[in-house]
Amino acid sequence: MDAFLIEGGRKIGGEVKISGSKNASLPILAATLLTDDDVILKNAPDLSDVRTMLKLLSYIGKEIEKKDDSLIVKQGEKINTEAPYDLVKTMRASVLVLGAMIGKYHRARVSFPGGCAIGARPIDQHLKGFEALGVKIDIEEGYIVAGVKKLVGNRVVFDVPTVGGTENVLMAAVFSEGGAVLENAAMEPEVVDLANFLNSMGAKISGAGTPTIQVEGVKKLHGSDYSIIPDRIEAATYFIAGAMAGGEVVVDSLIPEHIEAVLKKADESGVDFSVEDSRIIVRGGRKLRGVQIKTQPYPGFPTDVQAQMMSMLTRAQGISVIVETIFENRFMHVNELNRMGANIKVEDRTAIINGVKKLKGAPVMASDLRASASLVLAGLVAEGVTKISRIYHLDRGYESMECKLNALGASVKRIKE
Ligand code: EPU
């Protein structure tokens, strides 16, 4: 297994280019199943989660070519409407092929994803949405078996705004007869990107980005040449890196409004930054203040930036409070940050961070993707060397993180353990 060795205390500076969004690429790749024509996807990031989705698409029957930073997805010879346990267990987002296969083939057999480190993460809302479209769902030996003769248009009302649920049901609904309306839908930019991609293939979807999405059913989707949005979570992570360890860091090729909630809290904390079109210039070195944060669905503060922000707040003056409302077990970085000298206490879903003057390097363990990122950020400013084990979590969602950080002047080495 790989680990990172980070020599802390170096000022970072320069420009970092943000890659394509992981959480937009995964549903968009699943949605390529909805057409038999070729699809060209530009700006797809090279990440282990994307490779897992490509493996799953090949298993189902697509052929994939890579050309520079584009993926070309073509229809293969055979179709196999199944997502086996081995692929789903390594990545929950594999369950997104369910909606696409129901839409295109009217049947699917997909392994139940089960829980994961950050929480139980049920998919009851996905299934409820499919059932509203007339799909019969059975659970057999750990698999979701779905079948439908004709997808009917209907009103789907989600009990909670779910990103994956909205995406999954949207993919099945594009072919529904009479059209469908999704209410209390997730408003995340990745949902909007999926809707834009589907529309580029001939779907008729409006309202994505609001709580009500309207789908006018169509008979067929054609191929597309589409560019995926930049990764707002990666952008926020490098922005926080600049605030903690800059120098002046230019975060380039992002959509700043996608991280407005993060920028608002950073501003409240005293971070020095300016926004220019698709770039943010952030300057470190300021004394930061403690702030209060509650994670919320978009456009609120993203749960996927909670751990990185906590890392920044470990050295802010005074007390910060972070309430995690989305996932019940997303504070696994706390003990590791405390091992590095932070002073954080957790009570249920609330973390209370008492600012300390400095962090110290220590051997720590990555537990999930965003927790790993928070440890890397802490390592950049800690005194001495930080060793982060189980970096494979980080490789799921950050493209060449050590290269990008080293190009900014950090010292991050990947070693084999
Ligand atoms: N929920 C239900 N029932 C459902 C679906 C969700 O109760 O059927 C609950 C969840 O338990 C959670 C809340 O609804 O409490 C929101 O979950 P959501 O379905 O929105 O999350 P997701 O689709 O499983 C995506 C991202 C996550 C990100 C969340 C929240 C992808 C592939 N994953 O997950 O990203 O944290 O939305 O924004 O898009 C990450 O990138 O590190 C990551 C975990």
Side-chain angles (χ1 to χ4, degrees), residues 49-307:
D49 269 9
V50 168
R51 288 190 287 272
T52 304
M53 183 56 91
L54 295 180
K55 243 194 238 169
L56 182 53
L57 291 183
S58 322
Y59 181 89
I60 294 171
K62 289 287 184 186
E63 284 170 6
I64 293 122
E65 276 173 35
K66 279 190 187 175
K67 240 189 200 170
D68 307 323
D69 80 334
S70 293
L71 294 171
I72 304 160
V73 185
K74 296 181 172 175
Q75 191 72 0
E77 296 285 299
K78 275 196 194 136
I79 285 295
N80 177 12
T81 52
E82 179 169 306
Y85 174 67
D86 278 353
L87 288 170
V88 180
K89 78 167 188 234
T90 58
M91 186 183 71
R92 288 182 44 90
S94 304
V95 80
L96 290 168
V97 297
L98 184 55
M101 291 196 288
I102 290 173
K104 181 78 184 339
Y105 300 107
H106 288 188
R107 62 171 200 281
R109 189 170 178 270
V110 173
S111 171
F112 225 92
C116 80
I118 61 175
R121 306 184 75 182
I123 55 159
D124 57 304
Q125 297 301 308
H126 306 221
L127 303 185
K128 186 181 139 176
F130 294 136
E131 282 173 335
L133 301 178
V135 181
K136 187 169 172 293
I137 303 278
D138 289 306
I139 309 296
E140 288 172 10
E141 295 165 355
Y143 278 74
I144 304 150
V145 181
V148 63
K149 279 215 171 72
K150 191 170 81 177
L151 284 156
V152 293
N154 205 345
R155 224 174 121 229
V156 176
V157 186
F158 293 106
D159 298 333
V160 283
T162 148
V163 176
T166 304
E167 293 165 344
N168 229 343
V169 177
L170 188 60
M171 286 187 264
V174 286
F175 294 133
S176 60
E177 279 185 33
V181 180
L182 277 50
E183 286 181 25
N184 198 23
M187 300 192 282
E188 269 67 4
E190 295 77 17
V191 173
V192 178
D193 209 32
L194 171 66
N196 288 341
F197 171 64
L198 292 169
N199 284 341
S200 79
M201 294 201 292
K204 290 193 175 155
I205 300 164
S206 58
T210 76
T212 306
I213 303 180
Q214 268 110 5
V215 186
E216 212 183 291
V218 295
K219 290 248 172 333
K220 213 177 156 199
L221 294 184
H222 51 72
S224 172
D225 184 338
Y226 191 80
S227 186
I228 291 163
I229 54 168
D231 196 308
R232 65 190 166 105
I233 309 302
E234 191 200 22
T237 304
Y238 285 104
F239 169 77
I240 294 171
M244 290 172 74
E248 187 175 279
V249 172
V250 179
V251 185
D252 186 35
S253 308
L254 80 158
I255 301 174
E257 68 180 68
H258 286 174
I259 57 165
E260 219 166 88
V262 175
L263 297 179
K264 209 166 143 222
K265 284 297 164 187
D267 187 41
E268 216 179 295
S269 178
V271 176
D272 180 11
F273 66 93
S274 41
V275 179
E276 283 174 10
D277 301 324
S278 60
R279 295 147 63 95
I280 299 181
I281 299 145
V282 54
R283 289 161 286 265
R286 274 216 194 155
K287 278 242 171 315
L288 303 181
R289 295 179 289 277
V291 291
Q292 308 219 349
I293 293 173
K294 201 180 203 179
T295 62
Q296 299 278 5
Y298 191 83
F301 192 95
T303 173
D304 290 347
V305 187
Q306 177 257 107

Side-chain angles (χ1 to χ4, degrees), residues 268-269 288-292 313 315-321 353 355:
E268 216 179 295
S269 178
L288 303 181
R289 295 179 289 277
V291 291
Q292 308 219 349
L313 294 173
R315 296 183 315 144
Q317 272 175 339
I319 291 179
S320 301
V321 178
I353 304 129

